[in-house]
Amino acid sequence: MHKQLRQRRESLTLGELPVEGRLSTLRGLTLEAEGCKAAIGSICQIETVNGGSVEAQVVGFNRDRTLLMPAGSVDGVRSQARVRPVASQLSAPTGQGLLGRVIDAHGQPMDGLGALVVEGRAALMGQPLNPLDRAPINQVFDVGVRAVNGLLTLGRGQRIGLFAGSGVGKSALLGMMTRHSEADVTVIGLIGERGREVNDFVRQTLGPIGMQRAIVVAVPADQPPLLRLQGAMLATAIAESFRDAGKQVLLLVDSLTRFAQAQREIGLATGEPPTSKGYPPSAFALLPQLVERAGNLASGGSITGIYTVLAEGDDQNDPIVDAARAVLDGHIVLTRKLSDAAHYPAIDIGASVSRTRSAVNSLETEELIRQCLKLAAAYRSQEDMLKVGLYQRGTDPVLDQAVEFWPRLQQFLQQTVDEGVDVTSTRTQLAELLAGSNGS
């Protein structure tokens, strides 16, 4: 009898509710609390001297102390301040009332248009799809961009990276995809961008037309790293709620690099060892946890994910670029050379690849694409010799055809931001492009 009572008391102790504690140390970006018992991911409130509170999340443990990462300014926080657990799991607002709105990492409106009309809540940290529950990627996803639709055809449910340095037009390309894609709903996560760029993207790049079926989650660069992580997770959770309702969702996360850098700050602050370029192991582990949540459901809904990756110094071997290339279903590379030549969008078709292209195109279309890429590669391989006039026409029939084809290809690949070209029109233009080249 006594043994049973003791076991019952032990089980109650193991399952007890979170317990308040006291703040003991502020070390870098992290706070340490004594006596606080809360699980990883739990939300706590830390009292300030002026009677307010600061929200923080449990990110780790140091012996018997709980490590907290603040979600805002720590002004007014003092030693021995009370730390009170308030929630065990973060959630995201859902529903049609989110369309056309700009919200922050907490799911609160930033656009001054009043309170959100929320129909439900979803777990912020959703679970990746079971591989056997995923529907195959076998349908084209039309993004309205001729270079992508024609030569890098995306599939519905695909996850692709947009690799670019700073200032080469990735925001403009994202805006084009938002306005011209076939998605029912577009969810945009602006993570770690400058405040001015957030304002320009919402008001100018998207504009009123683009915002009609879009939801923007904005977490500027001046926000704490915890909120930058939450912003990407929040955008993904909102996209999942629409996918579960059977919608075709386009999820744009700008950028995956800032997301990884936020985890780098948190990981280093909690004592993780730095590895490649200062990134701790958790930064690389978190990338697939985010992107694997996109994809197709057998019930019909889908999330097509486009994740921008900032190639620092235009380095395509940056650790995050390498890690993203390994977990995504292809990549679109924007180059500074094309951007400086006023070639927009600045997509380098030779360096870009879509791993699902052959699964969504017919054999005839694939043959057209291969011919086009073959001629483009032939021209690029001898471009320097052609520019200095060392090549004599008639020496190589394939190169002769490539020389005639190249100017028309450059015209085909360029597109204004207000112009949308669907997949059907793109394929017709691509066939005419090659027919003209063969006939010359």
Side-chain angles (χ1 to χ4, degrees):
M1 182 68 177
H2 293 292
K3 183 179 179 180
Q4 293 176 349
L5 290 174
R6 185 170 63 253
Q7 290 176 343
R8 184 180 178 186
R9 284 196 298 268
E10 289 174 354
S11 65
L12 288 173
T13 301
L14 292 174
E16 64 187 352
L17 295 174
V19 177
E20 294 183 4
R22 293 287 176 176
L23 190 65
S24 61
T25 307
L26 169 60
R27 184 173 299 169
L29 297 176
T30 57
L31 303 166
E32 294 186 4
E34 294 179 336
C36 180
K37 295 182 179 180
I40 293 287
S42 297
I43 302 302
C44 298
Q45 294 287 348
I46 304 172
E47 291 185 348
T48 59
V49 294
N50 57 9
S53 63
V54 173
E55 184 178 294
Q57 184 174 350
V58 178
V59 294
F61 305 102
N62 180 16
R63 299 181 186 275
D64 59 345
R65 295 183 177 183
T66 301
L67 302 181
L68 302 159
M69 183 68 64
S73 172
V74 293
D75 289 346
V77 172
R78 62 175 178 82
S79 179
Q80 296 302 307
R82 189 170 71 156
V83 179
R84 180 169 53 91
V86 294
S88 60
Q89 189 178 38
L90 295 169
S91 63
T94 62
Q96 295 290 327
L98 297 178
L99 294 176
R101 302 302 300 270
V102 182
I103 61 177
D104 62 15
H106 297 289
Q108 299 300 316
M110 300 176 63
D111 48 18
L113 299 179
L116 295 177
V117 179
V118 178
E119 298 176 7
R121 310 289 300 188
L124 191 68
M125 304 293 290
Q127 296 297 320
L129 293 175
N130 184 324
L132 299 182
D133 291 338
R134 291 179 180 270
I137 299 175
N138 53 20
Q139 298 182 60
V140 173
F141 185 80
D142 187 349
V143 294
V145 179
R146 186 162 46 219
V148 178
N149 284 344
L151 303 178
L152 303 167
T153 319
L154 303 186
R156 187 176 293 176
Q158 183 176 354
R159 300 150 305 169
I160 195 161
L162 186 60
F163 295 173
S166 58
V168 296
K170 67 178 184 303
S171 294
L173 181 56
L174 292 179
M176 291 172 65
M177 292 178 175
T178 302
R179 289 196 297 270
H180 305 309
S181 78
E182 65 175 5
D184 300 322
V185 177
T186 303
V187 182
I188 306 162
L190 300 178
I191 311 302
E193 295 294 329
R194 292 184 290 271
R196 177 191 59 80
E197 290 184 339
V198 171
N199 188 45
D200 289 348
F201 187 86
V202 172
R203 299 185 185 278
Q204 298 178 20
T205 305
L206 287 180
I209 296 177
M211 283 297 297
Q212 287 179 0
R213 54 175 181 163
I215 303 160
V216 177
V217 180
V219 190
D222 61 342
Q223 297 296 306
L226 181 64
L227 293 187
R228 280 177 265 147
L229 282 184
Q230 289 183 12
M233 296 293 185
L234 176 63
T236 305
I238 293 173
E240 286 174 327
S241 70
F242 282 101
R243 178 190 61 189
D244 294 344
K247 302 290 186 181
Q248 308 306 321
V249 183
L250 173 61
L251 171 63
L252 306 176
V253 177
D254 184 17
S255 71
L256 202 61
T257 303
R258 305 301 188 202
F259 174 78
Q261 288 173 346
Q263 180 58 33
R264 176 173 65 180
E265 294 179 42
I266 293 174
L268 295 178
T270 55
E272 277 193 79
T275 54
S276 181
K277 223 173 185 179
Y279 287 97
S282 63
F284 298 103
L286 205 59
L287 293 179
Q289 292 179 25
L290 180 70
V291 303
E292 283 293 325
R293 292 167 63 180
N296 290 337
L297 286 180
S299 59
S302 72
I303 298 177
T304 304
I306 300 178
Y307 303 86
T308 69
V309 181
L310 181 61
E312 296 183 357
D314 297 327
D315 180 12
Q316 294 299 319
N317 294 315
D318 179 86
I320 298 302
V321 173
D322 250 356
R325 190 183 290 117
V327 299
L328 295 172
D329 303 321
H331 50 273
I332 299 170
V333 178
L334 304 185
T335 64
R336 197 169 303 278
K337 179 180 178 181
L338 291 173
S339 176
D340 291 344
H343 182 292
Y344 294 108
I347 298 174
D348 185 342
I349 59 169
S352 305
V353 63
S354 171
R355 294 176 184 169
T356 64
R357 189 192 72 197
S358 59
V360 299
N361 283 327
S362 65
L363 294 177
E364 293 78 9
T365 301
E366 273 295 292
E367 181 59 29
L368 291 176
I369 294 173
R370 282 194 290 268
Q371 289 182 30
C372 182
L373 295 177
K374 176 183 176 181
L375 292 174
Y379 181 88
R380 285 187 170 182
S381 67
Q382 303 297 332
E383 188 172 9
D384 292 339
M385 187 173 66
L386 291 167
K387 286 181 178 179
V388 297
L390 295 179
Y391 174 74
Q392 292 185 355
R393 186 177 177 84
T395 306
D396 184 347
V398 175
L399 187 55
D400 290 342
Q401 185 179 356
V403 171
E404 295 293 332
F405 173 72
W406 185 256
R408 292 195 292 271
L409 174 64
Q410 298 308 295
Q411 185 178 4
F412 172 84
L413 295 176
Q414 296 183 65
Q415 184 176 336
T416 63
V417 294
D418 296 323
E419 179 187 6
V421 184
D422 61 29
V423 171
T424 303
S425 300
T426 298
R427 288 173 174 171
T428 301
Q429 294 174 24
L430 184 62
E432 293 172 350
L433 176 69
L434 285 165
S437 175
N438 292 329
S440 60

